[in-house]
Amino acid sequence: MTEKNKSQKPKHIGFIMDGNGRWAKRRGMPRKFGHSEGAKALKEIVNYCKKIEIPYVTLYVFSTENWKRPDDEVEAIMDLLRKYLNDAYSRIGSGVRFVFLGDKGRFAPDIQQIMYKLEEESKVEYSLTLLLAINYGGRDDLLFSFKNIARKISFGELKAENITESIISENLYTAGIPDVDFIIRTSGEQRLSNFLIWQGAYAELYFTDTYWPDFSPKELDKALLDFSNRKRKYGGIS
Ligand code: IPE
Ligand code: IPE
Ligand code: MG
């Protein structure tokens, strides 16, 4: 990228990693093969984001709606997740802090445990905060915030008339994390599918037909070049 293009760089990229199933189908392979290849692409993209100094990256790994899928597919995804998290745990200290978005309560106890441990122990000398949206839904995120706020009101810690937009933000799963400013979705679908609906209110959106397992650092560069040329207006005039 040229100097000029570097000038506007996202601080927080959200990836809707879609198309694993179709990628596999096209090759006459089972869907779960698409997910394992997708996991490889994920690692490469995360390393690249760290290299080019993007401070926050959110990966949409598994939605609150994805539990509807056949049991064997959900199991295959959970196995990949287990492997990925254990591997990440063995690499704590390599500059990535982990944060999980979504209700951890629905996962197997060993997965929950590794999530808590990663969150706690990876807060050391990091340059990239990696947010994994797993059992995540934007509506569930809002529900989580509203319930937290209602609890504070019932304890007398907060008055209803004092609720502000920032209080809603501070009670989401993403508390303390800057809003996503660039959302990239692979596979040709052009929708958010319940991803960061509050935090993405002013995000720039980028859609590519590439299926997630084929999404490469080169494609990310192309998306970043596109981002660098966007005019962000936030309702004002330019
Ligand atoms: C994205 O790929 C991964 C998850 C949603 C877990 P898909 O599995 O949705 O792939 P397609 O959309 O069926 O091709
Ligand atoms: C969105 O993809 C969820 C993830 C990428 C984890 P889906 O494949 O589940 O979304 P829809 O069904 O096409 O909206
Ligand atoms: Mg899909």
Side-chain angles (χ1 to χ4, degrees), residues 18-26 29-31 34-35 73:
D18 198 15
N20 292 349
R22 278 164 285 169
W23 183 92
K25 193 174 171 210
R26 188 178 268 182
M29 300 294 282
R31 292 179 58 84
H35 295 309
E73 180 169 346

Side-chain angles (χ1 to χ4, degrees), residues 15-19 22 31 59-63 65-66 69 133 136 185 187 189 191-195:
F15 290 95
I16 303 178
M17 310 183 290
D18 198 15
R22 278 164 285 169
R31 292 179 58 84
L59 301 174
Y60 202 6
V61 177
F62 194 83
S63 75
E65 289 72 36
N66 288 147
R69 297 189 177 198
Y136 178 83
R185 183 171 187 148
S187 91
E189 309 301 339
R191 54 179 169 263
L192 288 177
S193 299
N194 207 6
F195 183 58

Side-chain angles (χ1 to χ4, degrees), residues 30-85:
R31 292 179 58 84
K32 59 183 177 189
F33 181 61
H35 295 309
S36 61
E37 289 302 300
K40 291 184 192 163
L42 175 164
K43 286 182 200 162
E44 203 185 352
I45 290 297
V46 170
N47 286 337
Y48 189 64
C49 286
K50 188 163 160 261
K51 188 174 150 205
I52 61 172
E53 298 174 347
I54 303 290
Y56 299 90
V57 169
T58 299
L59 301 174
Y60 202 6
V61 177
F62 194 83
S63 75
T64 45
E65 289 72 36
N66 288 147
W67 297 104
K68 283 190 236 168
R69 297 189 177 198
D71 289 351
D72 64 329
E73 180 169 346
V74 172
E75 264 168 46
I77 294 172
M78 291 302 135
D79 283 346
L80 282 168
L81 180 61
R82 187 176 275 114
K83 255 190 230 137
Y84 178 76
L85 298 179

